[in-house]
Structure formats: structure tokens, C-alpha cells
């Protein structure tokens, strides 16, 4: 399950994995209403880790990822 919230300065993307096994997902910026040609600063909020959206994201089993995608100035 995926959820999106768009604020003035950032878009928040949440992906839940309800299964026991790890899963991978690709974030489609265009589908989120963002321009894929622009460069975004993306942070996974639980770990404060930088995220590269060009690579698949691993969502561990029975876990969630919460991304903050900062809009360019």
C-alpha cells in the first residue's frame, strides 16, 4: 500500500509492506505529480538516510518506508 501527501515544500511518500518477505518498489516521480527531469533531495525519515530514487527501494517485511521528497527551490 502506498500513500502520498503533497505539501508546499515537499511530497511525502509512504510504502507499507504487510507481508513477511522483503519487497522492492520503484518510485515513479511522474505518477506523484513531480517532474522526473528535476533533481530532488530525498530522505527516508525513520533513518534520516539519503535515498536515490533511480534505484529500487527495499521495504523489509512487516515494515514501512517514509520518504520526504523536497521540492527544488
Amino acid at each position: 500500500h502506498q500513500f502520498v501527501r503533497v505539501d508546499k515544500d515537499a511530497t511525502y511518500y509512504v510504502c507499507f509492506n504487510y507481508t513477511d518477505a522483503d519487497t522492492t518498489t520503484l518510485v515513479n516521480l511522474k505518477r506523484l505529480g513531480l517532474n522526473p527531469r528535476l533533481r530532488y533531495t530525498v530522505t527516508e525519515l525513520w533513518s534520516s538516510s539519503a535515498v536515490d530514487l533511480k534505484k529500487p527501494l527495499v521495504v523489509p517485511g512487516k515494515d514501512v518506508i517514509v520518504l520526504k521528497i523536497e521540492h527544488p527551490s
Side-chain angles (χ1 to χ4, degrees), residues 27-40:
V27 177
N28 183 329
L29 291 174
K30 190 172 182 179
R31 190 169 178 203
L32 298 180
L34 300 172
N35 184 342
R37 294 185 180 136
L38 296 178
R39 184 174 201 122
Y40 297 91

Side-chain angles (χ1 to χ4, degrees), residues 6-41:
V6 179
D7 284 338
K8 180 179 176 185
D9 299 323
T11 296
Y12 296 88
Y13 172 82
V14 180
C15 182
F16 288 91
N17 179 4
Y18 296 110
T19 69
D20 290 326
D22 292 356
T23 189
T24 58
T25 187
L26 285 172
V27 177
N28 183 329
L29 291 174
K30 190 172 182 179
R31 190 169 178 203
L32 298 180
L34 300 172
N35 184 342
R37 294 185 180 136
L38 296 178
R39 184 174 201 122
Y40 297 91
T41 300

